Amino acid sequence: MTKILIDGVEVDVPGDFTLLQACEAAGAEIPRFCYHERLSIAGNCRMCLVEVKGAPKPIASCAQQVKDQRPPKDETMPIVLTKSPMVTKAREGVMEFLLINHPLDCPICDQGGECDLQDQSMAYGRGGSRFGENKRAVEEKFMGPLVKTIMTRCIQCTRCVRFVTEVAGVPEIGATGRGEDMEITTYLEAALASELSANVIDLCPVGALTSKPYAFNARPWELRKTESVDVMDALGSNVRIDARGDEVLRVLPRLNEEINEEWISDKTRYACDGLKRQRLDRPYLRENGKLREASWDEALFAAAQALKGDPKKIGAVAGDLACAESMKATLDLFRALGAPNTDCNWDGARFGADRGSYLFNATIMGIDEADAILLVGTNPRVEAPILNARIRKAWLHNNAQVALVGVGGDLGYAYEHLGEGPQALGDLVKFAEVLAKAERPLLIVGASVFARKDAAAIGAALARLNVQREGWNGFSVLHASAARVGGLDLGFTPGEGGLSGAQMLGGACETLLLLGVDEAQLPAAGTVIYLGTHGDAGAHRADIILPGAAYAEKNATWVNTEGRVQYGRRATFPKGEAREDWAILRALSARLGKTLPYDDLDALRAKMIADHPTFGQVDYAPGAATSFDPAKLGASGPLDTAPLASPIRDFYLTNPIARASVTMAECARAAAERAGAKAAAE
């Protein structure tokens, strides 16, 4: 620790702190444009100038470390001033230069109201400009369907360049020209290929990079802001949903160091326009082969009649976007009816009884500590882009060795490809030694591996890898579904003598209740009751449609891939006559004469916590504390020759909300064109 005097306040900080960090520790506010805590230091903007006693000129505080400062004569420690006349004059001069070519079009800029340049020019700038020459103009750049560019506003802070290079691992943005001719652009004017590309909008301190789908839609002060949780993947990224009236206009990241830091994927950010398209806003009944509008009384009566048959011939399957409350209500209802056929594994996956057999036990934040990482049957770049950025950070800053067993691809970092099939797990001689010698070995297994016919044999092969240490459990399952872990924690699996999800979807039930199942092949025969939000595959097959609420339209509980319980909050109300899922099931239970013992959300959650105590541990990731027995992972048997592939074929179209989104359709089209152009070039 090093002592330093800042504006008369003595602070004791680590020597490798920058002066900017030390000033913040002392309570001093330092303006900045190019500096960002998660990016490398560029020192471009010079807005963070401070005066160091003894130095001949102001110093860029972001580029100087505390340990390099020397005390002036007759002083015991370095002295830094952040509000002296020298600093004030220097900052005014820097701001004046930054604004020389800026178009000053704040009234029509989407950054208005949340712009760093606006705020800092008011706080640290001069009252007027002395620049009387013509301003330069820069042509707009094409960066794809998500990022709108007005590059005349750019101040060349290079935050966007550093983000795509360092965090996203796709170095597609750079600078051309020198001096006054310098411009930030993409190579060959191509669309950004990263699944994290739109984070540059949040990073841009001026209005040079703004949101193309959100352009000219609203001002920040018009929006109602709700803190919630993302459901586009199993990571549970913390987000803020901004709505006006009954429409969600945008989704922004919310800081959470343990999950998503301050990034979100492009799908999380922009699939929100799918919340208002293709919606189921009233009940429907199928008559004479066609769906017709119905009242709630008619729909509930028809659903109750369909579920009054033989309990062994009725079943319920939960999809990827089912919340814990809806699954708990379904589970209680079907057990009250004596039906054992419930399953959240619609893809046929089978996990062990121990909670540790299906959780990401190393925790998402634990990836930062990993020094050897083995990926099995997963492509984290499309299954969980934020988690993939964590892996890249471990590879970049922790020198972690990464290897992959499965179908390869560009992950944004270098890795050793050990083979596509599970047979490669038997030949891990070299990398098995790397895992054995590592202090924090990490084994990331895709959840789709457990849906294979040879899942037990693969589990037995994985159990032989030594990835456990004192206080560390490296066995981690990466789920792609936001609902899966919550369903497994609730025990939303077949009861005694019950059918699996694959069997039920194969036509083994006379009546099937689907909680938003749209990705599976649905049975041609029998009665299908669909409780969901969009007119997707499940609704097309359904005989009875009960319109539910989307994730932004209800207070709901979600459990992410590491077992962390989080609460999503309602930003808008359900569309039309749609209702919250658990309330629909509560009304249905009354029609069946098996009234569920809760009348409001608090009572439902209280019962859920009483029956399943892990749901009371909000925002807690168990990590290595989870019970785990590697011997129970599988059993010896023959390994299939089929390659271990990710179940996600198109990152942008993985669920009904995304498939209803115009923005996601444009992204999918751009990705397909990019892939076609790359294939042609190769």
Side-chain angles (χ1 to χ4, degrees):
M1 303 293 279
T2 306
K3 291 185 178 181
I4 186 168
L5 193 67
I6 299 174
D7 290 340
V9 178
E10 181 182 320
V11 291
D12 198 2
V13 296
D16 54 2
F17 261 33
T18 63
L19 283 178
L20 190 153
Q21 291 172 307
C23 290
E24 289 187 333
E29 181 180 319
I30 305 296
R32 82 291 299 269
F33 290 115
C34 68
Y35 176 80
H36 192 276
E37 292 82 355
R38 303 186 196 282
L39 304 176
S40 60
I41 294 171
N44 301 13
C45 72
R46 321 306 288 180
M47 196 63 210
C48 64
L49 294 174
V50 297
E51 180 183 353
V52 177
K53 283 290 185 180
K57 59 183 181 180
I59 285 177
S61 60
C62 71
Q64 291 277 339
Q65 290 184 312
V66 171
K67 64 184 179 184
D68 295 327
Q69 309 309 310
R70 298 292 177 267
K73 188 176 181 181
D74 300 330
E75 297 290 343
T76 59
M77 67 185 75
I79 299 175
V80 177
L81 301 175
T82 68
K83 300 175 183 176
S84 67
M86 176 197 285
V87 173
T88 301
K89 184 178 180 181
R91 288 176 180 169
E92 287 179 351
V94 168
M95 181 62 73
E96 193 173 5
F97 273 111
L98 288 175
L99 291 174
I100 277 178
N101 289 310
H102 197 80
L104 305 180
D105 52 357
C106 301
I108 62 163
C109 177
D110 271 320
Q111 199 88 326
E114 39 191 21
C115 174
D116 292 346
L117 187 62
Q118 267 187 343
D119 297 342
Q120 294 185 40
S121 62
M122 284 292 294
Y124 304 102
R126 289 168 50 89
S129 173
R130 291 171 290 179
F131 186 77
E133 309 298 322
N134 292 328
K135 293 177 180 285
R136 78 165 188 164
V138 181
E139 289 185 3
E140 311 312 347
K141 314 300 180 189
F142 176 72
M143 292 191 181
L146 303 180
V147 182
K148 178 184 176 183
T149 64
I150 302 182
M151 301 311 290
T152 302
R153 300 171 182 163
C154 180
I155 61 170
Q156 286 92 40
C157 70
T158 69
R159 278 186 179 184
C160 55
V161 177
R162 285 174 284 151
F163 172 81
V164 298
T165 303
E166 299 165 10
V167 179
V170 184
E172 298 176 311
I173 302 179
T176 62
R178 301 181 66 185
E180 193 179 62
D181 296 323
M182 180 178 174
E183 297 181 14
I184 302 295
T185 182
T186 56
Y187 301 115
L188 304 178
E189 294 262 334
L192 298 176
S194 171
E195 293 77 15
L196 303 173
S197 63
N199 286 288
V200 299
I201 296 166
D202 296 333
L203 287 172
C204 185
V206 297
L209 304 178
T210 55
S211 172
K212 189 175 285 187
Y214 176 70
F216 309 123
N217 272 351
R219 287 299 194 184
W221 53 85
E222 297 179 284
L223 303 175
R224 185 175 63 256
K225 303 166 180 65
T226 306
E227 295 185 350
S228 191
V229 177
D230 171 52
V231 300
M232 294 295 137
D233 56 33
L235 216 62
S237 297
N238 285 205
V239 296
R240 193 188 83 196
I241 301 174
D242 288 358
R244 184 177 59 189
D246 65 345
E247 182 180 351
V248 173
L249 291 180
R250 65 177 181 178
V251 175
L252 298 177
R254 192 157 51 91
L255 179 66
N256 190 319
E257 295 289 354
E258 297 183 3
I259 303 176
N260 57 308
E261 297 178 307
E262 60 188 88
W263 320 122
I264 53 174
S265 73
D266 293 347
K267 184 166 56 177
T268 297
R269 188 185 297 265
Y270 285 118
C272 60
D273 66 320
L275 291 170
K276 63 181 180 182
R277 294 184 172 88
Q278 299 289 331
R279 288 302 300 271
L280 301 173
D281 59 356
R282 66 200 66 184
Y284 287 88
L285 294 176
R286 188 177 298 277
E287 288 182 356
N288 301 320
K290 292 185 178 180
L291 289 171
R292 70 163 178 87
E293 295 180 16
S295 66
W296 271 110
D297 279 341
E298 288 180 288
L300 290 173
F301 177 80
Q305 291 299 114
L307 291 170
K308 281 182 178 177
D310 182 357
K312 295 189 180 299
K313 292 294 184 179
I314 63 174
V317 182
D320 291 346
L321 300 182
C323 63
E325 284 83 359
S326 64
M327 288 188 284
K328 175 59 175 172
T330 303
L331 189 65
D332 288 350
L333 174 58
F334 271 65
R335 293 298 181 264
L337 292 171
N341 306 321
T342 53
D343 204 355
C344 62
N345 300 304
W346 59 264
D347 54 359
R350 279 291 162 262
F351 300 94
D354 291 343
R355 197 170 186 233
S357 67
Y358 57 82
L359 291 188
F360 200 94
N361 296 296
T363 71
I364 297 166
M365 197 174 184
I367 296 173
D368 296 347
E369 304 175 32
D371 48 2
I373 303 173
L374 175 62
L375 306 173
V376 178
T378 182
N379 182 342
R381 179 170 172 177
V382 294
E383 293 177 31
I386 300 298
L387 183 138
N388 194 58
R390 289 264 193 183
I391 297 175
R392 172 175 168 78
K393 185 163 69 169
W395 169 79
L396 196 63
H397 299 297
N398 207 25
N399 295 319
Q401 297 185 60
V402 185
L404 169 68
V405 174
V407 177
D410 181 9
L411 298 179
Y413 42 83
Y415 61 87
E416 183 181 354
H417 194 190
L418 304 176
E420 290 193 346
Q423 290 81 8
L425 292 171
D427 305 324
L428 290 180
V429 179
K430 184 177 178 182
F431 203 80
E433 293 179 359
V434 172
L435 291 173
K437 294 177 181 177
E439 293 182 8
R440 290 287 187 266
L442 177 56
L443 171 63
I444 301 179
V445 186
S448 60
V449 169
F450 298 91
R452 291 169 56 103
K453 294 179 180 178
D454 58 347
I458 295 175
L462 296 174
R464 290 193 286 270
L465 299 174
N466 181 18
V467 292
Q468 289 184 281
R469 304 288 185 272
E470 185 177 351
W472 173 265
N473 183 356
F475 179 78
S476 302
V477 177
L478 178 58
H479 292 271
S481 162
R484 190 64 57 90
V485 175
L488 294 170
D489 283 350
L490 287 168
F492 200 90
T493 50
E496 187 176 350
L499 301 172
S500 69
Q503 290 172 319
M504 286 186 275
L505 293 170
C509 287
E510 293 176 356
T511 301
L512 190 58
L513 173 63
L514 302 180
L515 294 178
V517 179
D518 293 281
E519 282 67 47
Q521 184 71 34
L522 301 176
T527 301
V528 173
I529 304 168
Y530 179 79
L531 198 168
T533 60
H534 285 72
D536 210 281
H540 289 172
R541 166 60 189 89
D543 300 294
I544 303 167
I545 294 178
L546 307 176
Y551 77 99
E553 300 163 359
K554 58 185 176 182
N555 294 310
T557 304
W558 307 93
V559 188
N560 76 348
T561 191
E562 60 182 348
R564 184 188 301 269
V565 176
Q566 300 185 102
Y567 290 145
R569 293 178 174 83
R570 181 174 59 207
T572 62
F573 286 93
K575 299 291 183 287
E577 296 180 30
R579 297 291 183 268
E580 294 191 21
D581 303 11
W582 75 266
I584 296 172
L585 292 160
R586 167 66 176 75
L588 180 58
S589 71
R591 297 297 183 101
L592 286 164
K594 302 289 184 181
T595 305
L596 294 174
Y598 28 79
D599 296 326
D600 55 41
L601 184 64
D602 290 338
L604 169 54
R605 283 182 172 169
K607 188 173 190 308
M608 190 162 63
I609 293 171
D611 295 346
H612 314 279
T614 56
F615 282 88
Q617 301 170 344
V618 180
D619 201 28
Y620 166 71
T626 310
S627 60
F628 179 72
D629 183 2
K632 295 181 180 179
L633 271 180
S636 299
L639 292 169
D640 199 344
T641 57
L644 292 161
S646 171
I648 295 178
R649 296 291 173 264
D650 192 328
F651 167 74
Y652 299 102
L653 304 174
T654 55
N655 60 60
I657 299 174
R659 286 192 288 272
S661 165
V662 172
T663 307
M664 291 297 97
E666 291 176 358
C667 290
R669 190 181 307 116
E673 290 173 358
R674 187 166 56 245
K678 183 177 180 181
E682 290 174 348

